Amino acid sequence: MLKPNLSIISHKELEIGYSIDGPILNINLAFSVEKKEALIKKIDIILRHENNETHQFLWDWFEEQFLQMEISDPDLGSMPFKKTQKAIAIKVLTDTLIERKFGFQKEEFKEAYNKLFNSTNEIYNNIYQSSAGIDSFKISKEYNEFLDYFKNSFIWKVGKYSAKIKVYIEHVVKPFEHDLNFQLTNLELKGLETNINTCQKTIKNHYTKEDPDYKADWKLVNPYKIE
């Protein structure tokens, strides 16, 4: 029985971030197959820092570009129409090249976030119903643990990273793998660290409504692969 042979190509530039969704790693990947079409069902990234600290990122979404849209301003030219959707599966046909932007996140961050969010909501609703006032909520254990979570869960560090991309396709037990390396500088790290405060401000404003017009300004960095 023929099995597909998958080739993986990664873009030279990555996108690294941190938000209320946790650590973020985005990258453009291209796939081609020989022998037989392939159905990609799962993609993981095992990320290892030079100090051997390891994290697993799971495929969360992908972005697909459909066409170029002409706009009225001739100085701006055409703009791509893109669609972002949650990760389910992607079919790769033989003699074709599939390219997408893929977003990866840490599942354990989301699980812990949901628990903290639910417990904080419960305290908030109880205090709101008892008319104890927002000051009582601000000093609650649950609320402050929630805010501290964003500082304690920040994983990015200065130094070199190695990433192993594992692509799982239907009817093939062993994943196809692709390795890449990149480095985060001190300047890039400082930019990412500002997102910790943005996370906390976003949560604070969600509950206190101190600034109804507040909009989070998330900082991303774009390290290049080390060839």
Side-chain angles (χ1 to χ4, degrees), residues 29-53:
L29 297 173
F31 302 106
S32 65
V33 289
E34 297 177 348
K35 299 180 182 179
K36 185 180 179 181
E37 66 182 32
L39 183 66
I40 298 174
K41 301 181 70 175
K42 178 183 176 184
I43 309 175
D44 295 346
I45 295 181
I46 307 300
L47 190 67
R48 185 184 299 274
H49 188 261
E50 61 183 34
N51 67 3
N52 288 326
E53 183 177 313

PDB file of all heavy atoms in Angstrom, residues 29-53:
ATOM      1  N   LEU A  29       4.450  27.731   6.717  1.00  0.00           N
ATOM      2  CA  LEU A  29       4.956  26.423   6.307  1.00  0.00           C
ATOM      3  C   LEU A  29       4.371  26.052   4.957  1.00  0.00           C
ATOM      4  O   LEU A  29       3.211  26.377   4.653  1.00  0.00           O
ATOM      5  CB  LEU A  29       4.574  25.346   7.333  1.00  0.00           C
ATOM      6  CG  LEU A  29       5.140  25.484   8.742  1.00  0.00           C
ATOM      7  CD1 LEU A  29       4.515  24.436   9.669  1.00  0.00           C
ATOM      8  CD2 LEU A  29       6.650  25.340   8.733  1.00  0.00           C
ATOM      9  N   ALA A  30       5.172  25.368   4.166  1.00  0.00           N
ATOM     10  CA  ALA A  30       4.707  24.847   2.877  1.00  0.00           C
ATOM     11  C   ALA A  30       4.864  23.335   2.883  1.00  0.00           C
ATOM     12  O   ALA A  30       5.844  22.799   3.425  1.00  0.00           O
ATOM     13  CB  ALA A  30       5.495  25.465   1.737  1.00  0.00           C
ATOM     14  N   PHE A  31       3.889  22.646   2.272  1.00  0.00           N
ATOM     15  CA  PHE A  31       3.895  21.186   2.218  1.00  0.00           C
ATOM     16  C   PHE A  31       3.714  20.706   0.784  1.00  0.00           C
ATOM     17  O   PHE A  31       2.940  21.292   0.014  1.00  0.00           O
ATOM     18  CB  PHE A  31       2.753  20.593   3.059  1.00  0.00           C
ATOM     19  CG  PHE A  31       2.784  20.994   4.503  1.00  0.00           C
ATOM     20  CD1 PHE A  31       1.883  21.911   5.002  1.00  0.00           C
ATOM     21  CD2 PHE A  31       3.714  20.443   5.378  1.00  0.00           C
ATOM     22  CE1 PHE A  31       1.893  22.281   6.336  1.00  0.00           C
ATOM     23  CE2 PHE A  31       3.740  20.797   6.712  1.00  0.00           C
ATOM     24  CZ  PHE A  31       2.834  21.725   7.191  1.00  0.00           C
ATOM     25  N   SER A  32       4.414  19.637   0.457  1.00  0.00           N
ATOM     26  CA  SER A  32       4.184  18.932  -0.805  1.00  0.00           C
ATOM     27  C   SER A  32       4.295  17.440  -0.518  1.00  0.00           C
ATOM     28  O   SER A  32       4.963  17.023   0.437  1.00  0.00           O
ATOM     29  CB  SER A  32       5.193  19.351  -1.877  1.00  0.00           C
ATOM     30  OG  SER A  32       6.504  18.966  -1.495  1.00  0.00           O
ATOM     31  N   VAL A  33       3.606  16.624  -1.333  1.00  0.00           N
ATOM     32  CA  VAL A  33       3.637  15.171  -1.125  1.00  0.00           C
ATOM     33  C   VAL A  33       3.935  14.449  -2.431  1.00  0.00           C
ATOM     34  O   VAL A  33       3.616  14.928  -3.518  1.00  0.00           O
ATOM     35  CB  VAL A  33       2.312  14.630  -0.546  1.00  0.00           C
ATOM     36  CG1 VAL A  33       2.124  15.037   0.890  1.00  0.00           C
ATOM     37  CG2 VAL A  33       1.124  15.051  -1.393  1.00  0.00           C
ATOM     38  N   GLU A  34       4.548  13.290  -2.281  1.00  0.00           N
ATOM     39  CA  GLU A  34       4.790  12.386  -3.399  1.00  0.00           C
ATOM     40  C   GLU A  34       4.077  11.070  -3.120  1.00  0.00           C
ATOM     41  O   GLU A  34       3.767  10.736  -1.986  1.00  0.00           O
ATOM     42  CB  GLU A  34       6.287  12.147  -3.582  1.00  0.00           C
ATOM     43  CG  GLU A  34       7.074  13.401  -3.946  1.00  0.00           C
ATOM     44  CD  GLU A  34       8.566  13.119  -4.037  1.00  0.00           C
ATOM     45  OE1 GLU A  34       8.988  12.024  -3.601  1.00  0.00           O
ATOM     46  OE2 GLU A  34       9.308  13.980  -4.544  1.00  0.00           O
ATOM     47  N   LYS A  35       3.799  10.338  -4.191  1.00  0.00           N
ATOM     48  CA  LYS A  35       3.199   9.004  -4.153  1.00  0.00           C
ATOM     49  C   LYS A  35       1.688   9.019  -3.908  1.00  0.00           C
ATOM     50  O   LYS A  35       0.937   8.347  -4.609  1.00  0.00           O
ATOM     51  CB  LYS A  35       3.860   8.107  -3.092  1.00  0.00           C
ATOM     52  CG  LYS A  35       5.339   7.871  -3.310  1.00  0.00           C
ATOM     53  CD  LYS A  35       5.894   6.970  -2.221  1.00  0.00           C
ATOM     54  CE  LYS A  35       7.393   6.754  -2.391  1.00  0.00           C
ATOM     55  NZ  LYS A  35       7.954   5.907  -1.320  1.00  0.00           N
ATOM     56  N   LYS A  36       1.228   9.799  -2.907  1.00  0.00           N
ATOM     57  CA  LYS A  36      -0.186   9.761  -2.554  1.00  0.00           C
ATOM     58  C   LYS A  36      -0.560  11.027  -1.801  1.00  0.00           C
ATOM     59  O   LYS A  36       0.269  11.601  -1.099  1.00  0.00           O
ATOM     60  CB  LYS A  36      -0.462   8.527  -1.684  1.00  0.00           C
ATOM     61  CG  LYS A  36      -1.922   8.294  -1.348  1.00  0.00           C
ATOM     62  CD  LYS A  36      -2.079   7.043  -0.470  1.00  0.00           C
ATOM     63  CE  LYS A  36      -3.535   6.822  -0.118  1.00  0.00           C
ATOM     64  NZ  LYS A  36      -3.698   5.622   0.753  1.00  0.00           N
ATOM     65  N   GLU A  37      -1.813  11.479  -1.959  1.00  0.00           N
ATOM     66  CA  GLU A  37      -2.273  12.656  -1.220  1.00  0.00           C
ATOM     67  C   GLU A  37      -2.212  12.393   0.279  1.00  0.00           C
ATOM     68  O   GLU A  37      -2.240  11.249   0.737  1.00  0.00           O
ATOM     69  CB  GLU A  37      -3.706  13.019  -1.626  1.00  0.00           C
ATOM     70  CG  GLU A  37      -4.739  11.978  -1.242  1.00  0.00           C
ATOM     71  CD  GLU A  37      -6.126  12.359  -1.716  1.00  0.00           C
ATOM     72  OE1 GLU A  37      -6.246  13.014  -2.773  1.00  0.00           O
ATOM     73  OE2 GLU A  37      -7.094  11.976  -1.030  1.00  0.00           O
ATOM     74  N   ALA A  38      -2.121  13.488   1.056  1.00  0.00           N
ATOM     75  CA  ALA A  38      -1.983  13.360   2.506  1.00  0.00           C
ATOM     76  C   ALA A  38      -2.990  14.263   3.214  1.00  0.00           C
ATOM     77  O   ALA A  38      -3.267  15.375   2.769  1.00  0.00           O
ATOM     78  CB  ALA A  38      -0.573  13.730   2.938  1.00  0.00           C
ATOM     79  N   LEU A  39      -3.496  13.768   4.340  1.00  0.00           N
ATOM     80  CA  LEU A  39      -4.387  14.552   5.183  1.00  0.00           C
ATOM     81  C   LEU A  39      -3.650  14.871   6.482  1.00  0.00           C
ATOM     82  O   LEU A  39      -3.407  13.987   7.305  1.00  0.00           O
ATOM     83  CB  LEU A  39      -5.674  13.796   5.486  1.00  0.00           C
ATOM     84  CG  LEU A  39      -6.716  14.570   6.315  1.00  0.00           C
ATOM     85  CD1 LEU A  39      -7.248  15.767   5.519  1.00  0.00           C
ATOM     86  CD2 LEU A  39      -7.863  13.660   6.747  1.00  0.00           C
ATOM     87  N   ILE A  40      -3.278  16.133   6.630  1.00  0.00           N
ATOM     88  CA  ILE A  40      -2.586  16.567   7.852  1.00  0.00           C
ATOM     89  C   ILE A  40      -3.616  16.756   8.958  1.00  0.00           C
ATOM     90  O   ILE A  40      -4.539  17.550   8.837  1.00  0.00           O
ATOM     91  CB  ILE A  40      -1.818  17.874   7.606  1.00  0.00           C
ATOM     92  CG1 ILE A  40      -0.738  17.667   6.543  1.00  0.00           C
ATOM     93  CG2 ILE A  40      -1.203  18.392   8.907  1.00  0.00           C
ATOM     94  CD1 ILE A  40      -0.019  18.953   6.143  1.00  0.00           C
ATOM     95  N   LYS A  41      -3.445  16.017  10.045  1.00  0.00           N
ATOM     96  CA  LYS A  41      -4.422  16.052  11.128  1.00  0.00           C
ATOM     97  C   LYS A  41      -3.898  16.723  12.394  1.00  0.00           C
ATOM     98  O   LYS A  41      -4.684  17.100  13.267  1.00  0.00           O
ATOM     99  CB  LYS A  41      -4.863  14.621  11.463  1.00  0.00           C
ATOM    100  CG  LYS A  41      -5.492  13.884  10.279  1.00  0.00           C
ATOM    101  CD  LYS A  41      -5.932  12.496  10.657  1.00  0.00           C
ATOM    102  CE  LYS A  41      -7.126  12.536  11.591  1.00  0.00           C
ATOM    103  NZ  LYS A  41      -7.645  11.175  11.873  1.00  0.00           N
ATOM    104  N   LYS A  42      -2.583  16.863  12.492  1.00  0.00           N
ATOM    105  CA  LYS A  42      -2.016  17.393  13.721  1.00  0.00           C
ATOM    106  C   LYS A  42      -0.605  17.895  13.445  1.00  0.00           C
ATOM    107  O   LYS A  42       0.144  17.280  12.687  1.00  0.00           O
ATOM    108  CB  LYS A  42      -1.989  16.295  14.799  1.00  0.00           C
ATOM    109  CG  LYS A  42      -1.386  16.691  16.127  1.00  0.00           C
ATOM    110  CD  LYS A  42      -1.364  15.481  17.064  1.00  0.00           C
ATOM    111  CE  LYS A  42      -0.678  15.786  18.370  1.00  0.00           C
ATOM    112  NZ  LYS A  42      -0.570  14.596  19.255  1.00  0.00           N
ATOM    113  N   ILE A  43      -0.252  19.034  14.065  1.00  0.00           N
ATOM    114  CA  ILE A  43       1.112  19.553  13.981  1.00  0.00           C
ATOM    115  C   ILE A  43       1.538  20.010  15.370  1.00  0.00           C
ATOM    116  O   ILE A  43       0.819  20.781  16.023  1.00  0.00           O
ATOM    117  CB  ILE A  43       1.232  20.733  12.998  1.00  0.00           C
ATOM    118  CG1 ILE A  43       0.617  20.392  11.638  1.00  0.00           C
ATOM    119  CG2 ILE A  43       2.698  21.124  12.818  1.00  0.00           C
ATOM    120  CD1 ILE A  43       0.598  21.565  10.666  1.00  0.00           C
ATOM    121  N   ASP A  44       2.665  19.546  15.835  1.00  0.00           N
ATOM    122  CA  ASP A  44       3.236  19.961  17.110  1.00  0.00           C
ATOM    123  C   ASP A  44       4.593  20.600  16.870  1.00  0.00           C
ATOM    124  O   ASP A  44       5.275  20.297  15.889  1.00  0.00           O
ATOM    125  CB  ASP A  44       3.448  18.767  18.057  1.00  0.00           C
ATOM    126  CG  ASP A  44       2.144  18.116  18.476  1.00  0.00           C
ATOM    127  OD1 ASP A  44       1.085  18.724  18.265  1.00  0.00           O
ATOM    128  OD2 ASP A  44       2.214  16.999  19.020  1.00  0.00           O
ATOM    129  N   ILE A  45       4.988  21.462  17.795  1.00  0.00           N
ATOM    130  CA  ILE A  45       6.351  21.996  17.797  1.00  0.00           C
ATOM    131  C   ILE A  45       6.959  21.764  19.177  1.00  0.00           C
ATOM    132  O   ILE A  45       6.388  22.183  20.192  1.00  0.00           O
ATOM    133  CB  ILE A  45       6.392  23.490  17.461  1.00  0.00           C
ATOM    134  CG1 ILE A  45       5.913  23.748  16.023  1.00  0.00           C
ATOM    135  CG2 ILE A  45       7.811  24.038  17.633  1.00  0.00           C
ATOM    136  CD1 ILE A  45       5.947  25.204  15.605  1.00  0.00           C
ATOM    137  N   ILE A  46       8.078  21.066  19.202  1.00  0.00           N
ATOM    138  CA  ILE A  46       8.833  20.898  20.436  1.00  0.00           C
ATOM    139  C   ILE A  46       9.940  21.937  20.433  1.00  0.00           C
ATOM    140  O   ILE A  46      10.837  21.895  19.592  1.00  0.00           O
ATOM    141  CB  ILE A  46       9.427  19.477  20.555  1.00  0.00           C
ATOM    142  CG1 ILE A  46       8.323  18.419  20.372  1.00  0.00           C
ATOM    143  CG2 ILE A  46      10.128  19.311  21.897  1.00  0.00           C
ATOM    144  CD1 ILE A  46       7.206  18.504  21.381  1.00  0.00           C
ATOM    145  N   LEU A  47       9.850  22.876  21.363  1.00  0.00           N
ATOM    146  CA  LEU A  47      10.781  24.003  21.405  1.00  0.00           C
ATOM    147  C   LEU A  47      11.754  23.818  22.567  1.00  0.00           C
ATOM    148  O   LEU A  47      11.332  23.605  23.706  1.00  0.00           O
ATOM    149  CB  LEU A  47      10.004  25.309  21.559  1.00  0.00           C
ATOM    150  CG  LEU A  47      10.782  26.611  21.376  1.00  0.00           C
ATOM    151  CD1 LEU A  47      11.239  26.754  19.938  1.00  0.00           C
ATOM    152  CD2 LEU A  47       9.919  27.798  21.778  1.00  0.00           C
ATOM    153  N   ARG A  48      13.038  23.898  22.270  1.00  0.00           N
ATOM    154  CA  ARG A  48      14.057  23.718  23.302  1.00  0.00           C
ATOM    155  C   ARG A  48      15.005  24.916  23.320  1.00  0.00           C
ATOM    156  O   ARG A  48      15.597  25.268  22.300  1.00  0.00           O
ATOM    157  CB  ARG A  48      14.844  22.433  23.043  1.00  0.00           C
ATOM    158  CG  ARG A  48      15.865  22.102  24.156  1.00  0.00           C
ATOM    159  CD  ARG A  48      16.679  20.877  23.807  1.00  0.00           C
ATOM    160  NE  ARG A  48      15.844  19.708  23.645  1.00  0.00           N
ATOM    161  CZ  ARG A  48      15.471  18.910  24.657  1.00  0.00           C
ATOM    162  NH1 ARG A  48      15.883  19.182  25.878  1.00  0.00           N
ATOM    163  NH2 ARG A  48      14.705  17.863  24.421  1.00  0.00           N
ATOM    164  N   HIS A  49      15.151  25.522  24.508  1.00  0.00           N
ATOM    165  CA  HIS A  49      16.097  26.610  24.695  1.00  0.00           C
ATOM    166  C   HIS A  49      17.493  26.034  24.903  1.00  0.00           C
ATOM    167  O   HIS A  49      17.647  24.854  25.236  1.00  0.00           O
ATOM    168  CB  HIS A  49      15.678  27.465  25.902  1.00  0.00           C
ATOM    169  CG  HIS A  49      16.471  28.711  26.083  1.00  0.00           C
ATOM    170  ND1 HIS A  49      17.518  28.805  26.991  1.00  0.00           N
ATOM    171  CD2 HIS A  49      16.400  29.930  25.478  1.00  0.00           C
ATOM    172  CE1 HIS A  49      18.034  30.013  26.941  1.00  0.00           C
ATOM    173  NE2 HIS A  49      17.374  30.727  26.040  1.00  0.00           N
ATOM    174  N   GLU A  50      18.490  26.856  24.710  1.00  0.00           N
ATOM    175  CA  GLU A  50      19.864  26.371  24.854  1.00  0.00           C
ATOM    176  C   GLU A  50      20.179  25.900  26.278  1.00  0.00           C
ATOM    177  O   GLU A  50      21.138  25.159  26.490  1.00  0.00           O
ATOM    178  CB  GLU A  50      20.855  27.456  24.437  1.00  0.00           C
ATOM    179  CG  GLU A  50      20.786  28.721  25.256  1.00  0.00           C
ATOM    180  CD  GLU A  50      21.745  29.788  24.752  1.00  0.00           C
ATOM    181  OE1 GLU A  50      21.964  29.865  23.523  1.00  0.00           O
ATOM    182  OE2 GLU A  50      22.275  30.554  25.583  1.00  0.00           O
ATOM    183  N   ASN A  51      19.361  26.300  27.264  1.00  0.00           N
ATOM    184  CA  ASN A  51      19.553  25.812  28.629  1.00  0.00           C
ATOM    185  C   ASN A  51      18.793  24.503  28.886  1.00  0.00           C
ATOM    186  O   ASN A  51      18.673  24.058  30.031  1.00  0.00           O
ATOM    187  CB  ASN A  51      19.135  26.874  29.656  1.00  0.00           C
ATOM    188  CG  ASN A  51      17.627  27.142  29.645  1.00  0.00           C
ATOM    189  OD1 ASN A  51      16.859  26.510  28.911  1.00  0.00           O
ATOM    190  ND2 ASN A  51      17.180  28.081  30.455  1.00  0.00           N
ATOM    191  N   ASN A  52      18.239  23.909  27.789  1.00  0.00           N
ATOM    192  CA  ASN A  52      17.505  22.633  27.797  1.00  0.00           C
ATOM    193  C   ASN A  52      16.073  22.744  28.315  1.00  0.00           C
ATOM    194  O   ASN A  52      15.387  21.718  28.436  1.00  0.00           O
ATOM    195  CB  ASN A  52      18.249  21.550  28.598  1.00  0.00           C
ATOM    196  CG  ASN A  52      19.482  21.056  27.862  1.00  0.00           C
ATOM    197  OD1 ASN A  52      19.494  20.983  26.631  1.00  0.00           O
ATOM    198  ND2 ASN A  52      20.541  20.760  28.615  1.00  0.00           N
ATOM    199  N   GLU A  53      15.589  23.939  28.591  1.00  0.00           N
ATOM    200  CA  GLU A  53      14.178  24.099  28.951  1.00  0.00           C
ATOM    201  C   GLU A  53      13.324  23.822  27.707  1.00  0.00           C
ATOM    202  O   GLU A  53      13.554  24.399  26.647  1.00  0.00           O
ATOM    203  CB  GLU A  53      13.924  25.513  29.462  1.00  0.00           C
ATOM    204  CG  GLU A  53      12.494  25.754  29.928  1.00  0.00           C
ATOM    205  CD  GLU A  53      12.323  27.152  30.496  1.00  0.00           C
ATOM    206  OE1 GLU A  53      13.163  27.569  31.319  1.00  0.00           O
ATOM    207  OE2 GLU A  53      11.348  27.833  30.089  1.00  0.00           O
TER     208      GLU A  53
END
